[in-house]
Amino acid sequence: MNRAEAGRLLMHAAAFDNRQPSEAAAEAWAAALGTMPFDQDALAAVARYYATPPARPGDRLWIQPHDIRTHRNAIRGERLDGFVYEPQPGDDNPKTYLQNLRRQKALVAGGHRPAAVRPALPPGESDRMKGTLALVGRRVPVSDDEPSNSPLSVACPKCTARLGQQCTRSGHPITTPHPARVRVANGEPATDPDAERAAEQRRTAAAAYLDSLTDDERAELAAHQEQMRRTS
């Protein structure tokens, strides 16, 4: 808040307490409220202060810069009651998730709702795309009494997300449920038998390959793995 804005705020307060704003007062208030923007919430803070009766009846109310900050924070904090984060693209990255969270909370605190973002489709071979495609063609219930096979209607066996909660990865919500949750919601096993068989075949083949290595080859492999570990 600069000196001109602080002067406007003092003029607004003068309408309540008949103070005499001055250049010196505006400069002092600008110094005290320098990090706070001059906005509608700052003006609302003045109105809220004077709408609140004094602690002792008959005392004169005389607003100070700290009162502006306190009431403005309260006004913005009330808007965050029941705040629900809208997942955004890139939330799998903790840094991006925190940036999106802070941006949304600032918007909601200021009286705005973040616009819904439709993320781009993931690559065709990704788990997200497979989970999305698994939902295509599912029948939508025609009444509230008809059971739904929405993935959110069951707990996720992959990340243990509870009923009604989004799936998570690395502790952060993701927009598409895990394929295992989709299968359970549709009455299927949590694991894909074909995928499990393929994975077991890969493990068996890898074990057989390791058993066939000579001592020199094992030492070479161990050295390579150690090098990869150090550079990772």
Side-chain angles (χ1 to χ4, degrees):
M1 186 178 299
N2 57 36
R3 186 171 63 180
E5 293 169 335
R8 292 170 60 188
L9 189 61
L10 280 166
M11 290 293 294
H12 186 64
F16 293 92
D17 56 26
N18 296 317
R19 70 179 65 205
Q20 298 299 316
S22 65
E23 287 295 323
E27 186 171 352
W29 274 52
L33 299 174
T35 59
M36 193 185 83
F38 176 78
D39 54 15
Q40 192 61 41
D41 287 339
L43 297 174
V46 176
R48 174 175 288 206
Y49 176 84
Y50 283 106
T52 304
R56 294 183 299 180
D59 282 358
R60 181 185 180 186
L61 293 175
W62 191 259
I63 197 168
Q64 297 294 322
H66 66 86
D67 296 314
I68 301 289
R69 194 180 298 277
T70 297
H71 285 282
R72 182 178 180 275
N73 288 342
I75 290 169
R76 297 173 67 83
E78 289 167 3
R79 296 193 185 113
L80 289 172
D81 286 345
F83 169 79
V84 177
Y85 175 72
E86 294 289 340
Q88 303 291 299
D91 277 354
D92 291 349
N93 184 309
K95 181 178 179 180
T96 302
Y97 168 74
L98 288 175
Q99 290 174 342
N100 291 337
L101 176 63
R102 291 165 184 159
R103 187 180 302 113
Q104 282 193 24
K105 292 187 75 172
L107 285 171
V108 173
H112 305 283
R113 289 289 174 181
V117 176
R118 297 183 181 276
L121 289 175
E125 296 302 317
S126 69
D127 289 340
R128 286 184 57 200
M129 176 58 81
K130 292 177 181 178
T132 301
L133 293 177
L135 299 176
V136 175
R138 300 299 183 189
R139 184 167 55 85
V140 177
V142 298
S143 69
D144 293 338
D145 296 331
E146 186 176 349
S148 170
N149 55 3
S150 166
L152 299 187
S153 65
V154 298
C156 181
K158 176 72 173 180
C159 65
T160 68
R162 293 180 293 180
L163 273 65
Q165 292 185 338
Q166 289 180 292
C167 287
T168 60
R169 183 178 292 119
S170 300
H172 300 288
I174 56 177
T175 56
T176 303
H178 287 111
R181 191 177 196 178
V182 175
R183 288 192 289 268
V184 172
N186 288 280
E188 302 170 6
T191 57
D192 184 345
D194 292 336
E196 285 294 308
R197 280 194 294 270
E200 181 60 30
Q201 289 173 355
R202 289 193 297 270
R203 288 191 292 267
T204 301
Y209 172 75
L210 291 175
D211 288 341
S212 67
L213 295 178
T214 64
D215 291 340
D216 290 341
E217 289 172 333
R218 290 177 185 275
E220 182 182 3
L221 178 61
H224 175 70
Q225 291 175 335
E226 177 64 18
Q227 181 182 10
M228 294 298 293
R229 185 187 66 80
R230 291 177 179 177
T231 57
S232 61

